[in-house]
């Protein structure tokens, strides 16, 4: 059975090793996809399952980075009253409708416009909701 690492220097070194391995893995995935683009075109690279692995790893990395950023956020710089989530939701909805409208102007297809508007809406709503949740959790813990 492995022992838990208690030395802070070893923990930091272990995290650096994980970061290096992730970087090498990502470079390898990108190299494979670039080879697919050169030999079979962009559509061939998008059909490769490695494309999904790359996208998922980037999304997970970004969400984990958001968690660290919120934890490192200085509470003194924040205003006493946080920005209401309903206002953020409204702005994101407006952004999704604007993106969908622009797509409709260029494609004249309601399906494409709905997909683009919905994708923009979801892609902005998910991280902002996660940030709001983390900050609310942080405020609740500081109030206790």
């Amino acid at each position: 059975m492995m022992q838990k690492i208690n030395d802070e220097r070893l923990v930091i070194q272990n995290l650096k090793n994980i970061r290096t391995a992730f970087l090498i893995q990502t470079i390898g995935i990108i190299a494979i996809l670039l080879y697919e683009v050169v030999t079979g075109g962009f559509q061939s690279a998008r059909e490769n399952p490695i494309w999904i692995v790359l996208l998922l790893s980037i999304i997970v990395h970004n969400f984990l980075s958001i968690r660290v950023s919120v934890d490192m956020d200085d509470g003194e710089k924040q205003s006493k009253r946080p920005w209401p989530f309903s206002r953020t939701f409204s702005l994101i909805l407006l952004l999704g409708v604007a993106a969908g409208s622009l797509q409709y102007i260029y494609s004249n297809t309601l399906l494409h416009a709905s997909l683009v508007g919905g994708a923009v809406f979801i892609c902005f709503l998910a991280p902002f909701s996660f940030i709001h949740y983390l900050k609310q959790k942080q405020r609740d813990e500081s109030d206790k």
Side-chain angles (χ1 to χ4, degrees):
M1 185 180 260
M2 294 183 63
Q3 292 181 347
K4 187 174 180 179
I5 301 173
N6 293 326
D7 189 0
E8 193 172 311
R9 293 173 297 151
L10 294 177
V11 171
I12 291 172
Q13 183 61 43
N14 192 27
L15 291 174
K16 287 180 182 179
N17 293 345
I18 292 170
R19 183 176 61 190
T20 303
F22 179 73
L23 180 66
I24 291 170
Q25 176 184 354
T26 304
I27 289 171
I29 290 172
I30 290 172
I32 291 169
L33 290 173
L34 284 175
Y35 176 77
E36 284 281 328
V37 167
V38 170
T39 59
F42 185 71
Q43 188 63 28
S44 172
R46 280 190 42 213
E47 292 172 358
N48 192 333
I50 294 177
W51 175 258
I52 296 171
V53 172
L54 178 66
L55 291 179
L56 288 176
S57 63
I58 289 171
I59 290 169
V60 168
H61 178 264
N62 287 337
F63 271 93
L64 293 174
S65 294
I66 287 173
R67 179 175 287 245
V68 170
S69 297
V70 168
D71 286 342
M72 291 179 59
D73 194 16
D74 191 8
E76 296 173 6
K77 292 181 181 178
Q78 294 178 356
S79 64
K80 298 287 183 197
R81 289 184 46 192
W83 182 275
F85 185 73
S86 60
R87 193 175 295 171
T88 303
F89 183 84
S90 300
L91 287 173
I92 293 172
L93 183 62
L94 182 67
L95 185 65
V97 168
S101 299
L102 284 174
Q103 178 63 32
Y104 184 72
I105 290 170
Y106 289 112
S107 72
N108 263 349
T109 307
L110 188 59
L111 177 64
H112 290 158
S114 300
L115 287 174
V116 168
V120 168
F121 176 73
I122 290 171
C123 288
F124 277 95
L125 183 64
F128 279 106
S129 297
F130 188 59
I131 290 171
H132 177 75
Y133 166 75
L134 290 175
K135 286 186 177 184
Q136 186 68 35
K137 186 177 167 185
Q138 195 176 48
R139 269 188 244 113
D140 291 345
E141 288 175 0
S142 68
D143 289 343
K144 288 182 181 179

